[in-house]
Amino acid sequence: MEGLDSGSLIGSNDDLLIEISVRLPLKSVLRFKSVSKHWLWLLSHRRFTLRYDNNNNNLPKSLGLFDTDDVYAPYDVANPTPNPLGSSRTLASYFPRPDVRIMQSCNGLLLCCSDYRHKPSRMFFVFNPTTKQLETIPFPPSFPTESDIRMSLAFHPTECPHYKIVCVGTLEENYISQIQVFSSDTREWKISSEEFYSLSLSFVNGVYWNGAIHWPPCGGGSHWNLMCFHIESQQLQKLPLPKEVITPIIRTSYFGESRGHLHLIVNAEYSNHFCVFEMLRDRSGWFLKYRVQLNGLPPDFLEMIHVYAFGIMDVVRGETEEDTLVVVTANSILIKYNVHDKSFNYISSDHQWLITGWYEAHRYIQTVECLVICSFMSLHYVYAYYVKLVTLFW
């Protein structure tokens, strides 16, 4: 009877439940989200996610990379995280449609598309590889199903806990475009009031940062465009480029976010040195964050840089500045390189890893975000499990 009273007390006390849950492994937290609607709400709320992240800040935030299909390369070779899809599962096995590809990752969620080669039959999904949960995204209204639309995912456990999808599509043949925004909270598309001429603009490979979707620069010289779309205000904004990179040809070698920082690398495909620029928080400009020299890498890898297509897959900010690394590839070989102490480790030499561009590499991060309400566990199971917790924390 004493155990029942204690278990009931814990189950009905939100503060006590949070204090216990922030000390539990991710697997248990995901299990407890299925107990009831109230627990699902409580353990998905920013009050809990902030505490959980702070209590587990010794865990790696970026665990590895997926390619566009589902080949997975963990960052830590000595203690690799297992493929979150399972050793014998593929990405397509979780979806109701064939030919699934990853379009974008954002803080643990994946934006995916099926039948991507056949526009009228395309379907779009948001998938959590940690929880294996899946949501189908309805096709945005106003755009014909065969139109060439561009989607970008926005999600952050504290800034944007209800994920958003920003879709750019063309309305007319004279390149008049429109933006629509889907919210997982309302499950509806909202048409932005702003229409614009889009002939010289590119809206592919969007990156969520600081409340907005940012698209990498295109063009060159004085005719370049670097754009962002503010999700709350529903406004487009043109952004500056670093003065050092305004050249006749601007080729984006990397564009991405890590730990709240937006990074840009340009024109670095055939050089063993490059500059990593970081955007100021108010978006007024960029500053040079890292000057990376790859001279310390093995000679055979440096030789491949000059022979094969060279790609920068990821820029990963560490828990401390000294832990920051870049992930580079040449001829299917992946290497992580510390920008401070110049150390490196091979991540993968798997020849399945054939991609050469950052836009085809999708970071994997564990997240407790719940896409759908799970079927509730039995009260008997909940009671039994929590009686065990009482003995540990009560």
Side-chain angles (χ1 to χ4, degrees):
M1 192 68 180
E2 181 182 352
L4 178 61
D5 292 340
S6 300
S8 301
L9 177 61
I10 293 175
S12 61
N13 187 316
D14 288 354
D15 291 334
L16 194 53
L17 177 61
I18 289 176
E19 288 300 322
I20 292 175
S21 298
V22 295
R23 294 169 170 80
L24 298 177
L26 179 61
K27 184 176 181 180
S28 296
V29 173
L30 297 177
R31 181 182 296 166
F32 294 152
K33 279 191 170 190
S34 304
V35 171
S36 68
K37 290 184 179 179
H38 178 70
W39 283 23
L40 171 60
W41 171 83
L42 185 68
L43 299 181
S44 300
H45 196 275
R46 66 181 62 183
R47 175 189 175 195
F48 171 74
T49 56
L50 276 174
R51 285 287 310 279
Y52 192 83
D53 284 343
N54 289 335
N55 272 45
N56 294 275
N57 60 9
N58 59 318
L59 299 177
K61 300 299 182 182
S62 303
L63 301 179
L65 289 175
F66 286 110
D67 71 1
T68 304
D69 298 313
D70 55 14
V71 176
Y72 177 68
Y75 284 144
D76 191 342
V77 179
N79 299 288
T81 54
N83 189 331
L85 300 179
S87 58
S88 60
R89 300 291 295 272
T90 63
L91 184 68
S93 66
Y94 293 97
F95 289 78
R97 299 290 293 272
D99 203 16
V100 176
R101 300 191 74 182
I102 302 172
M103 301 167 61
Q104 181 196 353
S105 65
C106 186
N107 292 311
L109 300 184
L110 302 179
L111 177 62
C112 303
C113 178
S114 72
D115 300 312
Y116 58 93
R117 293 188 180 92
H118 309 287
K119 292 182 180 180
S121 61
R122 288 171 299 176
M123 289 185 67
F124 297 91
F125 306 92
V126 172
F127 179 62
N128 185 334
T130 301
T131 64
K132 312 302 186 292
Q133 290 178 323
L134 176 72
E135 273 200 329
T136 303
I137 306 301
F139 198 87
S142 303
F143 297 141
T145 56
E146 67 276 5
S147 62
D148 190 18
I149 61 174
R150 306 292 187 180
M151 287 192 178
S152 300
L153 177 63
F155 168 70
H156 190 281
T158 56
E159 294 178 6
C160 187
H162 300 290
Y163 70 80
K164 306 288 195 304
I165 296 177
V166 175
C167 179
V168 183
T170 303
L171 294 175
E172 303 174 13
E173 292 183 358
N174 58 352
Y175 298 101
I176 298 299
S177 293
Q178 183 185 76
I179 294 178
Q180 298 186 40
V181 180
F182 176 84
S183 173
S184 62
D185 188 23
T186 63
R187 293 205 56 80
E188 294 180 349
W189 287 95
K190 180 180 179 181
I191 298 176
S192 172
S193 60
E194 187 169 346
E195 295 181 4
F196 52 93
Y197 183 68
S198 60
L199 178 60
S200 61
L201 302 176
S202 175
F203 294 96
V204 296
N205 308 315
V207 174
Y208 175 76
W209 174 72
N210 193 16
I213 293 292
H214 300 72
W215 291 280
C218 63
S222 60
H223 302 287
W224 55 265
N225 287 288
L226 174 58
M227 305 291 295
C228 80
F229 177 77
H230 297 267
I231 294 176
E232 289 300 321
S233 65
Q234 305 276 289
Q235 295 294 315
L236 274 173
Q237 178 185 0
K238 185 175 180 178
L239 303 174
L241 270 180
K243 295 179 181 179
E244 297 91 336
V245 304
I246 299 178
T247 59
I249 297 177
I250 296 176
R251 184 181 295 108
T252 303
S253 301
Y254 176 81
F255 188 69
E257 178 274 344
S258 180
R259 289 184 178 266
H261 306 277
L262 186 66
H263 302 120
L264 170 67
I265 303 171
V266 300
N267 301 346
E269 284 78 1
Y270 297 99
S271 174
N272 59 3
H273 63 274
F274 52 86
C275 296
V276 181
F277 293 93
E278 180 178 329
M279 176 163 274
L280 295 170
R281 190 72 183 174
D282 62 1
R283 299 184 176 87
S284 61
W286 301 78
F287 62 93
L288 177 61
K289 182 62 179 179
Y290 305 114
R291 194 181 301 274
V292 182
Q293 298 279 351
L294 299 179
N295 295 331
L297 292 178
D300 56 342
F301 186 83
L302 293 176
E303 180 65 25
M304 284 189 289
I305 289 178
H306 299 287
V307 176
Y308 300 96
F310 166 57
I312 302 167
M313 298 292 101
D314 206 359
V315 176
V316 183
R317 298 291 281 267
E319 295 178 20
T320 65
E321 188 64 33
E322 291 70 25
D323 295 329
T324 300
L325 58 91
V326 295
V327 179
V328 296
T329 183
N331 193 27
S332 304
I333 296 175
L334 282 174
I335 287 181
K336 63 177 182 180
Y337 181 80
N338 187 297
V339 301
H340 290 281
D341 65 16
K342 318 302 181 186
S343 63
F344 69 91
N345 294 97
Y346 286 95
I347 297 177
S348 173
S349 59
D350 191 340
H351 286 276
Q352 295 183 77
W353 191 271
L354 299 177
I355 66 174
T356 59
W358 60 271
Y359 46 85
E360 296 179 297
H362 308 286
R363 190 186 297 157
Y364 170 59
I365 298 174
Q366 288 184 332
T367 177
V368 296
E369 171 69 8
C370 189
L371 300 183
V372 294
I373 296 177
C374 309
S375 59
F376 301 143
M377 296 190 295
S378 69
L379 292 178
H380 172 75
Y381 178 81
V382 175
Y383 163 71
Y385 199 94
Y386 259 81
V387 166
K388 295 180 179 179
L389 288 180
V390 168
T391 63
L392 294 176
F393 298 103
W394 188 244

